[in-house]
Amino acid sequence: VCGYAVPGRCPTTGEVAMAKYEVARLDEIDEITDGRQPWRPVRHHLGITAFGATAWTGRETGDRIINEHDEDDPTADEELFLVLRGHAVFELDGDRVDAPAGTLVFVPPRTKRTASAKQAGTTIIAVEGTPGKAYEARGWELWAPLAPLYFAGEYAEVADRLRAVVTAAPQYPMLFFNLACCESLSGRTSDALDHLRHAIEMSEEFRHSARADSDLDPIRDEPAFKQLIND
């Protein structure tokens, strides 16, 4: 099978390949939670690489669906929200906006934003990107459920679980970097160096991150670490 992502003629078989596409019902996408409101990783599930897309659900009336964020939050880019079902209330720079199902809310950067459920089961789809900058998928959707364990100091457990995650989704260098950090903190020096090397090979960003991240202090004196950050 010729794996063209756009229509074209396969050089091997000569057959015309049609564009690939994905179809999914929202309820088929497994929910993820980090202890707050659950969400569905639409972008990751469909393999989208050009923009972020996430579906958030408020189970009960009054539940906060979209946590407040603004220009100081690196995730607070240009966002388009669609209230898919239920009834939401947005707060945008102090303004209260009523948003029943079918409402589109566009929020530019540097705007404080949050949304709550006015009706149980309210679901909002968020599409986001940074103006003037190519979107970079980082795999935060897969890291977020493990973040509470990380902040609780359960580094070995996070490392065990994250290792399975990167095996299933090896396209995200950030996850390899976070895995190296947790392995460093749990005394797994060799594994930490291997996964840090992999992260750096995938993205030069993480060579710079490694120079300052205190999670890597336990392996900082290793010759292999010094070579990685100085190459």
Side-chain angles (χ1 to χ4, degrees):
V1 177
C2 196
Y4 280 151
V6 295
R9 187 172 297 277
C10 178
T12 303
T13 66
E15 296 178 354
V16 174
M18 300 303 293
K20 293 181 178 179
Y21 59 88
E22 297 289 341
V23 178
R25 292 184 58 83
L26 188 61
D27 292 341
E28 295 172 349
I29 301 175
D30 291 337
E31 286 190 323
I32 295 175
T33 183
D34 58 1
R36 298 175 294 180
Q37 294 307 315
W39 74 88
R40 289 182 168 90
V42 176
R43 183 210 62 77
H44 173 74
H45 183 86
L46 296 176
I48 296 168
T49 59
F51 54 87
T54 311
W56 305 81
T57 299
R59 294 296 189 204
E60 304 295 336
T61 300
D63 282 351
R64 176 169 287 188
I65 306 174
I66 305 298
N67 288 307
E68 184 173 85
H69 51 292
D70 57 21
E71 72 275 11
D72 294 326
D73 185 333
T75 67
D77 296 319
E78 190 170 83
E79 290 183 293
L80 175 66
F81 299 101
L82 166 63
V83 182
L84 183 67
R85 54 194 179 207
H87 197 144
V89 176
F90 284 81
E91 291 183 22
L92 307 170
D93 274 347
D95 292 337
R96 188 177 175 87
V97 177
D98 192 59
T103 301
L104 291 164
V105 178
F106 169 68
V107 184
R110 299 179 299 280
T111 304
K112 285 189 176 181
R113 65 203 77 171
T114 185
S116 300
K118 195 172 180 180
Q119 179 180 323
T122 296
T123 297
I124 298 173
I125 292 181
V127 178
E128 53 93 8
T130 302
K133 181 181 178 181
Y135 180 79
E136 182 181 357
R138 301 182 68 80
W140 69 268
E141 306 97 324
L142 304 180
W143 165 251
L146 300 175
L149 285 172
Y150 166 83
F151 289 115
E154 301 293 338
Y155 306 121
E157 182 177 351
V158 176
D160 291 340
R161 293 173 59 177
L162 192 52
R163 189 162 190 149
V165 170
V166 299
T167 298
Q171 67 269 41
Y172 303 121
M174 183 194 77
L175 298 185
F176 281 97
F177 182 81
N178 287 359
L179 175 56
C181 288
C182 291
E183 289 169 334
S184 168
L185 292 167
S186 55
R188 305 177 187 179
T189 299
S190 178
D191 290 338
L193 290 168
D194 286 344
H195 290 123
L196 177 59
R197 181 178 297 106
H198 193 80
I200 291 172
E201 288 172 352
M202 294 178 72
S203 174
E204 187 68 18
E205 169 192 351
F206 295 101
R207 191 189 312 276
H208 300 291
S209 298
R211 290 170 180 155
D213 199 313
S214 61
D215 287 351
L216 299 173
D217 285 352
I219 63 172
R220 197 165 297 279
D221 291 333
E222 295 289 329
F225 179 87
K226 295 178 179 179
Q227 183 178 356
L228 282 173
I229 65 170
N230 292 322
D231 280 351

